[in-house]
């Protein structure tokens, strides 16, 4: 063989090897997934984490492909999360599953993933569109915040139409409410706050806002705020609208401490403690995302990325990138349970 021929054969071999990454289906018997959670003490995220661990085992049993889930908590620091991503890449993770700490600053994660050619499935905290558009191998699994808020508002609208006296507790023709909001930087907080109230207005529920505050999704912060509001407006609060179940539970804690009864509290998520409070009637209602489907979408998408396959058809992606998980209203049935 001439030197030129040897060179051409070597070059062809190199090209073949480099084409085995993204876009090529691979025969793999194990997949390593690097998962980073924005915090380890968030109730909703913890619910998702447990279901993910169960489903990964189930997938492993069914497919015979070993799933190595390396789950890390970023403790609310984008810096920590960026370092975790670097470590995942150095450990040869096939794909990353990221719950961003700062959804406005996902560029660090994306830069590293793109350089290494490792696809990313983001979830729950939606990176900005500009970042998501940077690469074809970035996906997002979440919940449509406006839809959530409209469902949350609708449950009060329906109740008010059927039993106005159970919402307008003092019968003065106005429903006086307080609002508990999540983190300001989170896409869900602003949209949920705006659209739940708008839905009440559109549904002709006569509402009046007493006050509101940011409790960053946290039960203890919400409880402290609610305690303050009960002291300031002792007999005015008729409804507590909360951006999530954990803050709703914080409000319930404060109401119970102050021995105030009858106030309606509504949340969002359908977390395990949220559903318990719903069952006992302490929480009037919640909007519950289908968490099984949410996690299946994350896992199936992740696995298809790792195997270099097309995204699974059972989870239709809008713009080829976003999977929006269905959700439903769950309400404590007053008539049935009393
Ligand atoms: C959930 C909250 C959760 C937050 C974390 C929201 O979508 O409703 O319960 O704390 O995501 O990012």
């Amino acid at each position: 063989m001439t030197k030129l021929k040897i060179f051409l054969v070597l070059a062809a071999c190199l090209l073949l090897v480099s084409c085995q990454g993204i876009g090529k289906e691979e025969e793999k018997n194990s997949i390593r997934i690097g998962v980073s959670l924005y915090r380890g003490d968030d109730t909703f995220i913890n619910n998702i984490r447990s279901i993910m661990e169960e489903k990964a085992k189930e997938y492993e049993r069914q497919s015979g492909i070993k799933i190595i889930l390396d789950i890390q908590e970023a403790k609310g620091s984008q810096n920590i999360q960026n370092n975790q991503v670097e470590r995942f890449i150095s450990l040869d993770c096939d794909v990353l599953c990221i719950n961003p700490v700062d959804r406005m600053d996902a560029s660090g994660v994306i830069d590293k993933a793109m350089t290494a050619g490792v696809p990313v499935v983001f979830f729950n905290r939606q990176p900005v569109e500009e970042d998501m558009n940077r690469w074809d191998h970035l996906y997002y699994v979440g919940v449509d915040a406006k839809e959530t808020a409209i469902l949350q508002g609708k449950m009060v609208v329906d109740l008010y139409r059927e039993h106005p006296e159970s919402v307008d507790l003092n019968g003065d023709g106005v429903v006086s409410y307080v609002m508990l909001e999540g983190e300001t930087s989170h896409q869900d907080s602003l949209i949920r706050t705006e659209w739940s109230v708008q839905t009440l207005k559109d549904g002709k529920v006569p509402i009046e806002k007493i006050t509101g505050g940011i409790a960053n999704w946290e039960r203890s912060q919400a409880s402290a705020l609610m305690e303050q509001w009960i002291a300031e407006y002792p007999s005015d609060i008729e409804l507590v609208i909360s951006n999530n179940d954990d803050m709703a539970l914080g409000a319930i804690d404060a109401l119970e401490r102050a021995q105030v009864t009858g106030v309606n509290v509504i949340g969002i998520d359908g977390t395990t403690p949220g559903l318990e409070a719903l069952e006992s009637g302490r929480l009037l209602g919640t909007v519950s995302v289908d968490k099984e489907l949410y996690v299946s979408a994350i896992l199936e998408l992740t696995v298809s990325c790792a195997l270099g396959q097309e995204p699974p058809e059972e989870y239709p992606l809008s713009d080829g990138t976003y999977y929006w998980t269905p959700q439903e209203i769950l309400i404590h049935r007053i008539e049935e349970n009393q």
Side-chain angles (χ1 to χ4, degrees), residues 210-229:
I210 301 177
T211 186
I214 294 160
N216 296 308
W217 308 121
E218 284 186 36
R219 183 168 180 159
S220 58
Q221 290 191 32
S223 171
L225 274 182
M226 189 66 192
E227 189 170 298
Q228 209 177 301
W229 297 339

Side-chain angles (χ1 to χ4, degrees), residues 38-39 41-45 99-101 123-126 140 143 145 148 182-183 186-189 192 216-218 243-247 268-271 287 289 294:
Y38 91 108
R39 277 169 68 150
D41 58 357
D42 181 294
T43 308
F44 177 72
I45 296 298
N99 173 220
V101 174
F123 66 98
N124 168 254
R125 302 162 72 87
Q126 188 183 343
Y140 178 74
V143 180
T148 316
E183 292 160 281
H186 198 300
Q187 78 280 348
D188 287 340
S189 309
R192 288 179 184 177
N216 296 308
W217 308 121
E218 284 186 36
N243 281 176
N244 78 342
D245 283 354
D246 248 22
M247 295 188 296
I268 286 172
D269 284 340
T271 56
V287 180
V289 59
Y294 191 105

